Amino acid sequence: MIEQVLDEADRRDPKHQRTWVALVDGNNHQIQRLKAGAKARKLKITIVVDFVHVLEYLWNATWCFHAARDPAAEKWVHRQATAVLNGHARTVAGIIRRKATSARLGPVNRKIAAQAATYLTRKAAYLDYPTALEQGWPIATGIIEGACRHIVKDRMDLTGARWGLTGAEAILKLRAIKTNGDFNDYWHYHLNQERHHIHQARYHNHHIPKAA
């Protein structure tokens, strides 16, 4: 799958003039495959971990330090999430570890807190959210997942539907064009191309004579 994604990106940017950004969920194998693919193609790819996954770890950690429904739990997550967005993931990891020690957490909660801290430390290289936000890059996959549901699933995943690859790709391209608001421009282009291939190409200098 990673190779197919890189192939498509190569098709769109064959001269590698654009900035390549890969938004991932933090899966180590996924990251390793992206790095290997980039190295093989001599590409520079910036990898960004989905911020929602970071939030999940922070929420797991906060319940180790706060009782259920404690308003302070949400405030703690807000502070640490803001720090991560400002580029201080390792600092937040240290805060979690120190808090786990001072709170004298039991084995179960201490393990959960340690997992959150370790995640932030190991993924710190892919948590450069200040740069991502400054450049206008996405930091969460929600918009992508939403597009997949709207453009792909809502049309293709119908009861009794069966698709071949060619037909499915054609339909999805049309849905993407329509969703992007480009259908009228596309249809004008399509009609002009049909006129050229079916009619103009049959005449000298592609000039269609007027009917008598």
Side-chain angles (χ1 to χ4, degrees), residues 196-209:
H196 174 75
H197 292 311
I198 297 175
H199 301 291
Q200 289 177 322
R202 297 175 179 269
Y203 293 94
H204 179 64
N205 292 330
H206 296 166
H207 178 70
I208 303 174

Side-chain angles (χ1 to χ4, degrees), residues 74-139:
E74 183 175 349
K75 293 179 181 179
W76 184 87
V77 171
H78 183 272
R79 289 197 302 274
Q80 309 318 319
T82 301
V84 173
L85 285 173
N86 287 328
H88 305 303
R90 288 190 174 88
T91 299
V92 174
I95 290 173
I96 294 173
R97 290 193 176 98
R98 289 191 295 274
K99 192 171 182 65
T101 300
S102 62
R104 297 182 180 181
L105 297 179
V108 175
N109 282 339
R110 189 172 187 88
K111 181 179 179 180
I112 294 173
Q115 287 174 339
T118 300
Y119 182 86
L120 291 172
T121 301
R122 291 181 177 176
K123 298 294 189 293
Y126 315 117
L127 306 181
D128 185 8
Y129 297 124
T131 297
L133 293 172
E134 181 181 357
Q135 296 296 324
W137 302 337
I139 62 172

